[in-house]
Amino acid sequence: MVCPIQYCLNYKGLAYTTIYIEYQDVEAVCKEAGIPPSTTKPDGTPKYTLPSIIDPTTGTVGSDSFRIAKYLDKAYPETPVVLPAGTKGLQAAFVEGLFPKMLPLVKLGIDFSASKFITEKSEAYFRRVRGAEWGPGVTLKDLYPKTQDEKDVQWKNLEKAFEGIGNWIGKENKFIMGDRPTFGDFVLAGFLRWARGLWGESSEEWKDISTCWGEGRWGKMLEDLDQYSCLLNNLNSKVLRL
């Protein structure tokens, strides 16, 4: 999934450098850079996640995409806003509701993406950690549908999920807030880019998502936002340095 903060930075026209980090090195690198944890693990210990930013202009470091987006709007008010005034709650609710709806996509793609997009050095760590997040002894292969019927069920669930997201946004709107993209749109675009990267632009899966579902709105949305995206060679973790 493409990082929503890269979308935000490009949309704002802010120059930055992307530093790629192996998954197993994330915590050590964040601690060394003074970047705070974004949340806590179930056992209460700090959890370091990416993207994170280091802004040498202001001396600010931060983690968590939503908090970073708020910081960028405040620190650079002359740039286009990604969390318009009075919409932070709406944006947060949209993003929070988006992740469970994308569960079928995760089940269909996460095992495949571990081999396709992640470096060999990080793959074993990624598989172990991400699998454990689903329960003791769970592997990423356990999440993938075992039969074509199971795959068809997940695919139908994904179609219904996008139908629901379309209803949230409304047929009359191009983006969440109308004609201009905001933070929630960039998060959704990240999932769409992930799906396009997983199966390829010429695949039947991507044709379904981009042209058949929602009367082609999802393919058009991604095309509209591609000007603010960065073409990444992998989905490895990253720190964004302004």
Side-chain angles (χ1 to χ4, degrees):
M1 188 175 78
V2 174
C3 171
I5 297 304
Q6 286 179 303
Y7 276 109
C8 292
L9 290 164
N10 292 336
Y11 182 62
K12 288 176 170 293
L14 296 171
Y16 64 95
T17 299
T18 303
I19 302 173
Y20 294 92
I21 300 171
E22 299 289 349
Y23 275 101
Q24 57 268 36
D25 299 332
V26 169
E27 181 171 339
V29 170
C30 286
K31 286 181 175 179
E32 182 178 358
I35 298 171
S38 58
T39 184
T40 56
K41 300 176 184 178
D43 62 4
T45 58
K47 183 176 182 178
Y48 294 85
T49 62
L50 300 175
S52 295
I53 64 165
I54 304 169
D55 187 347
T57 302
T58 64
T60 300
V61 295
S63 59
D64 179 77
S65 293
F66 193 77
R67 290 198 293 266
I68 293 171
K70 288 194 294 183
Y71 163 75
L72 293 174
D73 276 349
K74 183 178 180 180
Y76 301 95
E78 73 282 1
T79 65
V81 298
V82 294
L83 294 168
T87 73
K88 290 184 178 64
L90 169 65
Q91 300 283 333
F94 179 86
V95 172
E96 184 174 348
L98 183 63
F99 278 87
K101 281 191 173 296
M102 289 295 99
L103 184 59
L105 177 60
V106 172
K107 289 185 175 182
L108 288 164
I110 194 168
D111 178 56
F112 179 36
S113 71
S115 300
K116 184 174 183 179
F117 298 118
I118 297 172
T119 66
E120 183 177 350
K121 180 179 178 181
S122 285
E123 183 179 350
Y125 178 88
F126 178 86
R127 289 183 176 278
R128 175 172 59 82
V129 172
R130 288 293 185 268
E133 290 177 351
W134 293 82
V138 175
T139 69
L140 298 189
K141 289 187 180 296
D142 294 332
L143 304 179
Y144 189 79
K146 303 295 187 298
T147 66
Q148 185 60 46
D149 286 344
E150 291 179 356
K151 182 179 178 180
D152 291 342
V153 168
Q154 291 300 331
W155 194 250
K156 191 64 178 179
N157 289 342
L158 185 60
E159 181 180 7
K160 290 179 180 178
F162 273 105
E163 180 181 356
I165 296 166
N167 290 335
W168 290 350
I169 299 173
K171 288 185 177 181
E172 69 281 6
N173 292 327
K174 181 188 296 187
F175 303 114
I176 298 171
M177 303 304 301
D179 291 333
R180 295 184 62 181
T182 52
F183 179 75
D185 299 300
F186 295 144
V187 176
L188 176 56
F191 281 109
L192 288 169
R193 282 185 62 87
W194 186 41
R196 187 173 66 183
L198 280 171
W199 292 294
E201 291 192 59
S202 61
S203 67
E204 291 301 317
E205 289 88 348
W206 179 243
K207 288 178 182 177
D208 278 351
I209 296 172
S210 63
T211 63
C212 298
W213 298 354
E215 299 178 346
R217 74 177 300 170
W218 307 119
K220 181 62 169 60
M221 178 185 186
L222 197 56
E223 287 179 8
D224 289 339
L225 295 180
D226 271 346
Q227 61 183 308
Y228 307 120
S229 68
C230 290
L231 297 177
L232 304 179
N233 293 323
N234 56 53
L235 293 181
N236 220 3
S237 299
K238 47 199 165 285
V239 171
L240 302 178
R241 185 189 301 274
L242 286 174

